Amino acid sequence: MARLTAKDPFIHPECEITDSSFGAYVEIGKGSRVNNSRFGDYSYCDRYADIANAQIGKFANIAAFARIGATDHPLHTAACHHFLYRSDDYWDNAGRDEDFFAHRRSRTAQIGHDTWIGAGAMIKPEVTLGDGAVVAAGAVVTKDVEPYSIVAGTPAKVLRVRQPPEIAERLIALAWWDWSHEDIRQALPDFRSLAAEAFLEKYET
């Protein structure tokens, strides 16, 4: 029997999951923390990923210790410490700064379909990672990444393209990630053996 199912996500031990939802065939690795996020079908994260305020497309590959939507501290105030907004942790008569938390939650990171985020990489809030993009291990992504680009470094810069623009456009138009589970299974031998252009030539209509 297949380990992953359409019904429930496969959530490994020691995870912290809050205010999040998951599509079909999703897996959340051991010790990961997921907050205010949505995982599309077939997406997964490996061990100890930390994901907050993110919309994740389908077939996203998120490696161990990656961080998406890393939360910020206020920098325009006299202090940047937790006591400003987690005030109830320090005083019985002070409440949390709910406006600060609402602003933080609104700064959503957008992760496209068929993306790969390498081990220990960080995606900052409000960054969009285009369909098919790849983020190298340890990279810090502070700006939007074009579809089917490969970025690396701190801050991340384009290393090369995963697919030429014309192939990338055709893959996005094909949108194989929206195919049914059965159709993807039928095409599995071609996914495995054909280069992207040959795959497109076979399946474009």
Side-chain angles (χ1 to χ4, degrees), residues 99-128:
D99 289 341
F100 176 82
F101 285 105
H103 176 66
R104 179 183 274 183
R105 287 171 63 88
S106 73
R107 301 184 64 209
T108 304
Q110 304 283 343
I111 308 302
H113 307 299
D114 190 36
T115 47
W116 177 17
I117 299 172
M122 180 182 292
I123 314 295
K124 295 291 284 179
E126 297 183 298
V127 165
T128 295

Side-chain angles (χ1 to χ4, degrees), residues 4 24-28 38-46 51 54-63 68 110-118 129-133 162 176-177:
L4 304 179
Y25 305 99
V26 165
E27 183 170 10
I28 306 298
R38 164 81 170 90
F39 273 65
D41 297 344
Y42 303 91
S43 291
Y44 72 88
C45 63
D46 202 346
I51 299 167
Q55 294 290 323
I56 297 167
K58 300 176 181 179
F59 295 90
N61 308 271
I62 303 170
I68 299 173
Q110 304 283 343
I111 308 302
H113 307 299
D114 190 36
T115 47
W116 177 17
I117 299 172
L129 200 63
D131 295 335
R162 177 181 162 193
W176 60 262
W177 40 77

